[in-house]
Amino acid sequence: MDAPLQGKVALVTGAAKRIGRAVAVRLAMEGADVVVHYNRSKAEADEAVTEISALRRNSIAVQADLTSLAQIKRLFQQVTEHIGRLDILVNSAANFLPARLDDTTEKMWEASLDTNLKAPFFCAQAAAPMLKHARGAIINFADAGGILAWSGYIPHCASKAGVIMLTKCLAKALAPEVRVNAIAPGTITMPGDPSEWEAEFVRRAPLHRSGSTDDVADAVVYLVNAKFMTGHVLVLDGGRTL
């Protein structure tokens, strides 16, 4: 029997490492061919391509600085030229920069907003023609910081709150051909994270555990297949935002 996403093509931004990579590999396990986007992590992106290829799925790594509109356009032009279709766009590339009221600089503000909000919009804009043709889906990544006010991460919270509204606007603008949803992860830990993070997350989450990249990948697959859902933000935080 064919895998659920057999014949589909997904582009995952920031797919060389951490959550983005886990999502890219899961989509390949579900049957999709995957474009692995990266900026500076070429070695890790190549490893992701190797891992996906071992699943007997086609995969290529494409570099782009998503703070540059010209490079975003080049990224999607390469997808068009080398693959010719796109069914799923996962906007997972992001940064998480500490910045308080008194020490936030213009450069810090722009670094957060350009990567976390500007890039998903222009990636969606560039992907729209292919996604409309395929009647595809966009999954954006907000996070708990777009819902909770973290005074030590003001530009980050503003950018992720913007992703939540961007998701709703794109859902209306691209309907009915393209569904647009978002995931707002929180209390997620990964190998290499400080151990005190997990302890704090366990303390704060009603489910009394931290989440994993598998939990996030599960949510992405659900939203890809949720044919009657658009404009929704799926909060994935073990109840933290309660």
Side-chain angles (χ1 to χ4, degrees):
M1 187 171 68
D2 288 344
L5 298 181
Q6 184 76 37
K8 305 294 187 182
V9 176
L11 166 59
V12 182
T13 68
K17 298 188 291 186
R18 295 171 69 83
I19 287 177
R21 180 163 174 171
V23 168
V25 171
R26 175 61 69 80
L27 291 174
M29 292 173 67
E30 295 290 318
D33 296 331
V34 183
V35 179
V36 173
H37 160 264
Y38 70 97
N39 184 12
R40 292 183 292 271
S41 304
K42 184 180 188 304
E44 292 90 342
D46 289 340
E47 290 172 1
V49 168
T50 298
E51 186 175 359
I52 292 167
S53 298
L55 297 169
R56 300 183 183 276
R57 305 301 173 197
N58 295 322
S59 183
I60 60 172
V62 183
Q63 189 277 336
D65 177 354
L66 298 185
T67 65
S68 163
L69 179 55
Q71 292 197 37
I72 288 173
K73 290 180 177 180
R74 187 192 69 191
L75 166 64
F76 285 91
Q77 184 62 36
Q78 288 181 275
V79 173
T80 301
E81 292 174 357
H82 291 289
I83 301 175
R85 67 175 294 163
L86 185 66
D87 302 270
I88 303 159
L89 169 63
V90 181
N91 282 312
S92 68
N95 56 34
F96 184 58
L97 306 177
R100 297 183 177 276
L101 175 63
D102 292 341
D103 60 20
T104 297
T105 64
E106 182 179 19
K107 184 177 180 179
M108 293 161 69
W109 180 269
E110 290 176 347
S112 289
L113 273 290
D114 284 357
T115 297
N116 296 344
L117 184 56
K118 171 185 168 182
F121 171 76
F122 283 107
C123 284
Q125 183 189 66
M130 284 187 288
L131 291 174
K132 284 184 176 182
H133 181 75
R135 300 191 74 86
I138 297 173
I139 313 296
N140 292 325
F141 268 73
D143 72 24
I147 300 168
L148 301 173
W150 297 338
S151 60
Y153 294 84
I154 294 175
H156 177 80
C157 288
S159 71
K160 291 300 188 176
V163 169
I164 290 173
M165 182 52 69
L166 174 64
T167 298
K168 297 174 186 291
C169 290
L170 289 175
K172 292 188 76 172
L174 293 173
E177 296 90 352
V178 181
R179 293 175 293 107
V180 187
N181 294 290
I183 297 172
T187 64
I188 305 294
T189 55
M190 287 162 274
D193 287 345
S195 59
E196 61 268 21
W197 284 14
E198 184 168 13
E200 176 69 5
F201 292 165
V202 169
R203 185 183 70 82
R204 289 178 175 271
L207 294 186
H208 298 305
R209 72 172 182 89
S210 63
S212 68
T213 55
D214 284 343
D215 293 316
V216 179
D218 286 345
V220 170
V221 171
Y222 169 74
L223 289 176
V224 166
N225 291 303
K227 303 301 184 184
F228 197 55
M229 182 180 291
T230 196
H232 184 75
V233 180
L234 185 61
V235 180
L236 190 73
D237 68 350
R240 166 72 178 89
T241 52
L242 296 175

